[in-house]
Structure formats: C-alpha cells, structure tokens
Amino acid sequence: MDRIEKIALVTGGSRGIGRAIALRLSRMGCFVWINYLSNREAAAETLRLLLSEGGQGALAPFDVSDFDGVQASIAKLVAARGPVDILVNNAALSRDGLLVRAGETQWDETIDTNMKGVFNCCRAVIRGMMKNRRGRIVNITSVVADAGNTGQAIYSASKSGILGFTRSLAQELGPRNITVNAVSPGFIESDMTASLSEASRRKILQRIPLGRPGNPDDVAAAVAFLATEEASYITGQIIHVNGGLYM
C-alpha cells in the first residue's frame, strides 16, 4: 500500500478501533492527530505506541459534539501542521437499553456524539480539502445501522444517519476530488464487546460465517485502503467488515 505522507485526524483515537486506525495511518506515513475527550491516559498510550514505531503525531483533545469547540480546535490543528487531508470519524458512544426505558438524555447524548460529531468534524475540515482539491473522509458506522439490534434502537439510529450523510456528502465533494466513504464494523473485539456474557458471545458467533470475531486491525485495514490513491475512484460506499454477519 502506498506511503501517503499526509495529515490525518482520527476522532476517538485513544483505544480500540480508533487506536488501530491511528497506528495504521502512521505506518503509511501520515502525521496523525489523535483526538480524545476524557481518557488522556489511553490517548497518550496510543501516541506512545505511534512514536515508538517511528511515526509522527500529537494529541488533539476536544469534544466532537460541541460545534464551536470543534471548529476552534481543528483551526488550531490546521494552523500548527496544515490542512487535514484524511479525516476518520470514529468517536462514538452507546447508551444501550430497551427503548421503553430510555430517557431523552440517552437519545441526545448518543445523537450528539455519533451523528452531530460527524457533521461537526466534516464541517471543520472540508474547506481546506476543497481548496486543495483533495481529501479523504471515512466515517465509522456499525452493522446495526443495517441489521438493527434489540436494545440498540438509539445507537442504530445514530449510525444509520451516518450512511445517508456519507452518500450525500460524497456527491457534494466528488467534484473537488474528495472521497467520502464509511466502514461498517460487525462484532469486533473491543471494550464495548468485552462486557458481553459468554452466552451472548456464542449466540453472535453462531451467526458469523467466518466463525470468529473481528479485531480492530481488520477495521483499520479497510480505513487505510480508503485513504490511499488506490481507492481514488471509490466514494459514497459502505465497506462492511463483519465476517459475513450481515450481507
């Protein structure tokens, strides 16, 4: 895969899938801004791993759900290193539970981070990309955006919205040589899935043709490909990384 030597911003880059993406883009030659909200220790570990491999990067703490804060924070990043060439919208949270028991706060927090966060970050970087007539935007969604899941109606709604946003933005930005795609992970080993009971894990694995969970590097590989020139004719697409869980 080609060495791209560009500026990348990975939101939610402190652990799990975000960490794997940050490291993969660094190995491809990117300077990587590692965004996080509250877990500075985990974000610092991502940066330590990146630097230990000879990569370049820095921490970028801000709340993706805060429109004004995102615009100001990304403006500072651009002033420090130049326009963002690759944006990976990975920051997300899940407030799972049956809808009959859900409150307005659960809805607002999930939508503000998972959907509004994507809008906020895209809004902050696209002018620079349009001016340079190049750019890659990759939005991380989820298998539940297509398949749904009991107890995840709110999370599913937030991730489903990203699909329409991705396809529409791809049409808007295509004439400026900017691609916009989404990667949709399935059952990936992470902090989110670690709390599942053994019975729940077995039930999910029985539905996966490959018979195993994925790992963060599986998702990072798809994101990295979409960031390269090799993927320059791919836009408005949803790449499913789920072992066949949903087809």
Side-chain angles (χ1 to χ4, degrees), residues 105-150:
T105 299
Q106 289 170 268
W107 173 269
D108 289 343
E109 288 180 349
T110 305
I111 297 299
D112 282 353
T113 296
N114 298 6
M115 277 189 67
K116 185 183 175 186
V118 172
F119 162 76
N120 289 344
C121 292
C122 287
R123 181 68 175 74
V125 305
I126 59 175
R127 284 191 183 276
M129 290 182 174
M130 292 171 70
K131 181 179 180 180
N132 290 336
R133 299 190 67 85
R134 70 167 189 262
R136 297 283 188 270
I137 297 174
V138 183
N139 301 319
I140 306 301
T141 178
S142 169
V143 65
V144 302
D146 294 290
N149 193 37
T150 299

Side-chain angles (χ1 to χ4, degrees), residues 73-205:
S73 295
I74 291 182
K76 290 179 181 178
L77 305 186
V78 171
R81 296 289 308 195
V84 173
D85 300 292
I86 301 164
L87 169 65
V88 182
N89 285 305
N90 171 71
L93 57 80
S94 180
R95 298 286 185 259
D96 294 346
L98 296 177
L99 193 66
V100 70
R101 300 192 187 111
E104 183 180 13
T105 299
Q106 289 170 268
W107 173 269
D108 289 343
E109 288 180 349
T110 305
I111 297 299
D112 282 353
T113 296
N114 298 6
M115 277 189 67
K116 185 183 175 186
V118 172
F119 162 76
N120 289 344
C121 292
C122 287
R123 181 68 175 74
V125 305
I126 59 175
R127 284 191 183 276
M129 290 182 174
M130 292 171 70
K131 181 179 180 180
N132 290 336
R133 299 190 67 85
R134 70 167 189 262
R136 297 283 188 270
I137 297 174
V138 183
N139 301 319
I140 306 301
T141 178
S142 169
V143 65
V144 302
D146 294 290
N149 193 37
T150 299
Q152 290 192 304
I154 298 174
Y155 182 72
S156 178
S158 72
K159 291 298 189 177
S160 295
I162 293 172
L163 302 183
F165 181 87
T166 296
R167 295 181 177 112
S168 296
L169 191 59
Q171 294 187 39
E172 289 185 23
L173 299 181
R176 297 298 184 99
N177 194 37
I178 301 165
T179 66
V180 187
N181 293 288
V183 171
S184 178
F187 182 50
I188 306 296
E189 295 283 19
S190 67
D191 291 348
M192 276 190 181
T193 60
S195 60
L196 291 173
S197 68
E198 187 57 34
S200 296
R201 285 177 60 86
R202 284 198 304 269
K203 186 176 180 180
I204 295 171
L205 290 174

